[in-house]
């Protein structure tokens, strides 16, 4: 997705430890027009798969309007008094924060008969995506695939997920961030 790659080159910052900071447009300050374009692209790439729910830790709300406004289920990272009933729970290690979270989804929102698309902003080592896939499996729902905005192609996550047979669509795959210069896979 060329518009996304150009935005990464313009506003992305490579930090120590191969961390790509894109908070100017993706995960802190959000560019809604870009999110809309991302949603359209995911809808094209997952057309005909029968998606009726989207599971996410972040970005998917705008994308959902391109899937007949199907519900977006936000996987929670913290337990609150507002969460009630039985939960599907998995553990996810955050690459950038270096901590492990319990990620949970209420059993009343996900189950047999659902065809779930997972959408997330980043794929590096694959821990977050593996956790969300685990939640889909626990629920008995069917996994339609995973849409990733930015994949770090030089890390193992994409290969691991693809080797599992999961339909994985990444809109921008970063091949390297050597000396602060970002290069993309074609």
């Amino acid at each position: 997705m060329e518009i996304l790659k150009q935005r990464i080159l313009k506003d992305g910052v490579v930090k120590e430890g191969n961390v790509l900071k894109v908070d100017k447009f993706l995960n802190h300050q959000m560019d809604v027009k870009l999110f809309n374009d991302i949603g359209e692209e995911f809808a094209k790439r997952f057309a005909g798969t029968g998606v009726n729910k989207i599971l996410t830790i972040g970005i998917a709300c705008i994308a959902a309007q391109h899937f007949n406004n199907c519900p977006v289920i936000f996987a929670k990272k913290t337990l609150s008094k507002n969460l009630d009933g039985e939960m599907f729970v998995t553990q996810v290690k955050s690459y950038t924060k270096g901590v492990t979270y319990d990620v949970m989804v209420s059993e009343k929102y996900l189950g047999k008969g659902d065809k779930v698309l997972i959408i997330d902003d980043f794929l590096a080592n694959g821990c977050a995506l593996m956790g969300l896939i685990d939640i889909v499996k626990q629920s008995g729902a069917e996994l339609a695939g995973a849409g990733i905005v930015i994949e770090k192609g030089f890390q193992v996550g994409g290969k691991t997920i693809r080797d599992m047979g999961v339909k994985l669509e990444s809109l921008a795959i970063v091949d390297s961030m050597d000396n602060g210069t970002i290069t993309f896979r074609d």
Side-chain angles (χ1 to χ4, degrees):
M1 187 174 171
E2 193 58 33
I3 190 170
L4 175 61
K5 291 177 182 177
Q6 292 306 313
R7 190 63 183 271
I8 294 166
L9 291 174
K10 177 180 174 241
D11 292 327
V13 177
V14 178
K15 307 280 279 184
E16 190 175 324
N18 276 331
V19 172
L20 178 57
K21 185 175 168 124
V22 290
D23 64 346
K24 186 171 184 179
F25 63 92
L26 186 62
N27 51 23
H28 195 69
Q29 176 172 277
M30 298 176 194
D31 181 334
V32 175
K33 167 74 171 87
L34 179 62
F35 279 24
N36 190 58
D37 294 342
I38 287 168
E40 281 185 54
E41 186 64 24
F42 281 141
K44 287 177 194 170
R45 293 183 185 208
F46 289 95
T49 62
V51 170
N52 72 342
K53 298 226 174 134
I54 296 175
L55 177 62
T56 189
I57 297 177
I59 189 171
C61 292
I62 302 261
Q65 67 189 348
H66 298 283
F67 289 87
N68 295 316
N69 290 314
C70 73
V72 172
I73 301 166
F74 188 79
K76 304 292 249 170
K77 290 183 184 174
T78 56
L79 190 59
S80 74
K81 292 179 183 178
N82 292 336
L83 290 174
D84 60 350
E86 298 298 314
M87 301 282 162
F88 300 115
V89 180
T90 194
Q91 289 197 322
V92 171
K93 182 172 182 174
S94 169
Y95 174 79
T96 53
K97 294 180 182 145
V99 296
T100 300
Y101 294 98
D102 281 339
V103 175
M104 58 207 84
V105 170
S106 174
E107 289 184 9
K108 60 185 161 188
Y109 298 123
L110 198 59
K112 287 183 172 62
D114 287 325
K115 193 147 187 187
V116 180
L117 172 62
I118 297 170
I119 293 181
D120 205 359
D121 55 358
F122 269 97
L123 174 59
N125 289 320
C127 296
L129 188 50
M130 292 293 290
L132 294 175
I133 290 169
D134 181 50
I135 285 176
V136 172
K137 286 181 181 177
Q138 288 179 50
S139 76
E142 183 181 342
L143 180 64
I148 302 298
V149 179
I150 302 170
E151 177 183 338
K152 291 181 178 177
F154 56 89
Q155 290 184 286
V156 300
K159 180 177 179 353
T160 301
I161 301 300
R162 288 179 181 95
D163 286 352
M164 292 170 52
V166 173
K167 177 179 173 67
L168 176 61
E169 293 287 341
S170 297
L171 301 184
I173 301 177
V174 175
D175 259 345
S176 69
M177 298 189 299
D178 296 329
N179 300 319
T181 302
I182 299 168
T183 57
F184 296 99
R185 189 174 298 168
D186 290 331

